[in-house]
Amino acid sequence: TAGEEEKPVAGRQTVLFVDLGTNGEMAITDGRRMIVTATAAGPAFEGDGTMIGTDRIALTARLLRRGILDETGLLAEPYFTEGVQIENGKKSVCYFKQEDIRALQMAKAAVRAGVEILWEMMGRPEIGRVCLAGGFGYYLDVEAAVAIGLLPAYMRGRVQAVGNTSLAGAYELGRDLSFGRTDASRLEERTAFAESVNLAETEQFEGLYLKYMSLEEN
């Protein structure tokens, strides 16, 4: 059941897809079945013009290692009051503050809960590949993502950046429609097996969300 130790069940290879932005879109498939969902992540993964989302994750992991930040997301003084000073360019300075960490915690907890719910609904299979879409996937420090609990520890070595999949998918669909390789009916058949899940309506989401607010490897 959800909340137990997250160990994959050996067997068929399953692929997890994650696109992190203002909304965290996720899908899991074993080639026969596909389950999709999305969760609100806010601006934490997008950045605010001073620091991009992947930098926030890397910095949070570094603060944890140094003991400046604990697993509850609390900054030690004087950083709790003043924030952590970050050099941004040659002379510009920004501050990573307590509210920034809270925003990241809430976003990562929602995404991690969604990942686990999809995995549970798929039958707890072994996930052979994790596809991270968009620029986020290219710049993400996987070790940092594991350190703060955004990704399960067993996914080390299985993460692959796959680029702008929305654009690539739209291009391939337009090409196939233009050359008669597919049509509306065939496209409907290919997507009919996808199951959409509303995380807010699942029994596990609230409990998993609270569990994964903690910033720690698990």
Side-chain angles (χ1 to χ4, degrees), residues 58-69 75 84 96 101:
L59 177 57
T60 299
R62 188 158 63 248
L63 295 175
L64 283 169
R65 288 196 300 269
R66 294 181 178 178
I68 295 173
L69 179 68
L75 281 168
V84 179
F96 191 50
I101 294 169

Side-chain angles (χ1 to χ4, degrees), residues 2 113 117 120-121 199 201-209:
I117 288 170
E120 290 279 351
M121 294 184 69
L199 294 176
E201 295 178 355
T202 64
E203 295 180 2
Q204 311 102 305
F205 183 74
E206 184 176 356
L208 289 171
Y209 177 82

Side-chain angles (χ1 to χ4, degrees), residues 109-158:
V111 170
R112 179 65 189 273
V115 166
E116 185 162 330
I117 288 170
L118 291 183
W119 179 61
E120 290 279 351
M121 294 184 69
M122 186 60 77
R124 301 169 66 92
E126 179 176 2
I127 296 177
R129 187 158 55 105
V130 181
C131 298
L132 292 183
F136 193 96
Y138 281 116
Y139 297 107
L140 179 67
D141 181 336
V142 175
E143 284 300 318
V146 169
I148 71 168
L150 174 60
L151 296 176
Y154 74 83
M155 289 185 181
R156 281 189 177 98
R158 308 183 188 197

Side-chain angles (χ1 to χ4, degrees), residues 15-16 18 32 39 45 123 146 151 160 167 169 181 197:
V15 176
L16 173 69
V18 183
R32 299 187 296 275
T39 185
F45 295 131
V146 169
L151 296 176
Q160 175 185 4
L167 180 61
R181 296 174 183 171
V197 176

